[in-house]
Amino acid sequence: MRASRIATAMLAALLLGTASAAAAVNVTFVKPEKYRDDDFRNVSKREGVIRELTRHFERLDKRYLTAGEKLEIAVLDARLAGRYERWQPTFNDVRILRDTTPPRFVIRYTLRQNGKIIASGEETVSDLSYMWRASARNSTERLAYEKDMLRDWFRKRFVELKPPRG
């Protein structure tokens, strides 16, 4: 009986040790109430958008980063895809997607592996051809265009380790 308790305790310690060694992302939204996008200026909408985007970054972290890698992301500004067209009385609370209203994020990031910085920078992430993304267009998921764009950027920057253009 005592041996099984010891074995269970050792297994639990091993599992906790591997969980803490897993990759981790820390996402902060710096002064989101000052972002250009209307949804960030509205308190009730802002909280939901931040929660959804944070969850998305956490999923990307689990999918793409390896043990020992720590990623810090600071979102400095954000514009979601589309805009509200208040002058249209029947659709004033609906985002209208146009070629001229792509999603756009200004992001500062630092990727560390075992404490050593392997990638860092600040850049604007945008997708001018966002409306051509079939996966987002056919998705029923909230913020599909933004998530697709951020997933592609995440893979290029932190998996393939491609530097930003320019």
Side-chain angles (χ1 to χ4, degrees):
M1 188 65 144
R2 183 174 179 184
S4 67
R5 284 187 191 168
I6 292 172
T8 304
M10 288 176 59
L11 181 63
L14 178 65
L15 290 174
L16 287 173
T18 22
S20 65
V25 65
N26 179 26
V27 182
T28 56
F29 289 79
V30 180
K31 297 182 183 175
E33 67 280 358
K34 297 191 187 258
Y35 290 0
R36 293 181 187 178
D37 195 88
D38 290 338
D39 283 1
F40 285 97
R41 290 193 209 127
N42 180 316
V43 177
S44 60
K45 288 182 180 181
R46 177 175 56 232
E47 291 171 0
V49 171
I50 288 174
R51 189 171 37 253
E52 187 76 23
L53 291 171
T54 300
R55 243 183 304 196
H56 182 63
F57 278 119
E58 289 168 352
R59 275 182 255 143
L60 293 172
D61 164 48
K62 286 180 178 64
R63 183 172 182 183
Y64 294 114
L65 298 184
T66 60
E69 290 183 331
K70 304 288 183 206
L71 177 62
E72 295 175 19
I73 293 178
V75 179
L76 306 175
D77 192 16
R79 289 192 105 166
L80 304 178
R83 298 289 174 269
Y84 295 107
E85 296 182 354
R86 308 270 188 227
W87 61 90
Q88 296 190 23
T90 54
F91 297 108
N92 66 356
D93 62 343
V94 176
R95 280 185 174 273
I96 307 298
L97 302 179
R98 301 198 187 278
D99 289 337
T100 58
T101 59
R104 181 175 181 229
F105 288 75
V106 179
I107 298 176
R108 185 178 330 132
Y109 58 89
T110 303
L111 176 64
R112 290 182 171 86
Q113 185 163 30
N114 300 322
K116 181 183 171 196
I117 295 176
I118 57 175
S120 69
E122 182 177 315
E123 63 185 280
T124 300
V125 181
S126 187
D127 182 6
L128 298 177
S129 59
Y130 77 103
M131 292 181 69
W132 290 93
R133 291 178 175 269
S135 59
R137 189 173 50 241
N138 297 325
S139 176
T140 58
E141 190 174 14
R142 184 174 181 216
L143 305 173
Y145 292 102
E146 293 81 357
K147 289 177 181 178
D148 263 17
M149 177 189 73
L150 290 169
R151 183 199 64 230
D152 289 350
W153 170 79
F154 195 97
R155 280 197 322 232
K156 285 178 190 165
R157 201 63 64 240
F158 306 119
V159 178
E160 299 168 15
L161 294 175
K162 289 184 180 177
R165 285 193 273 172

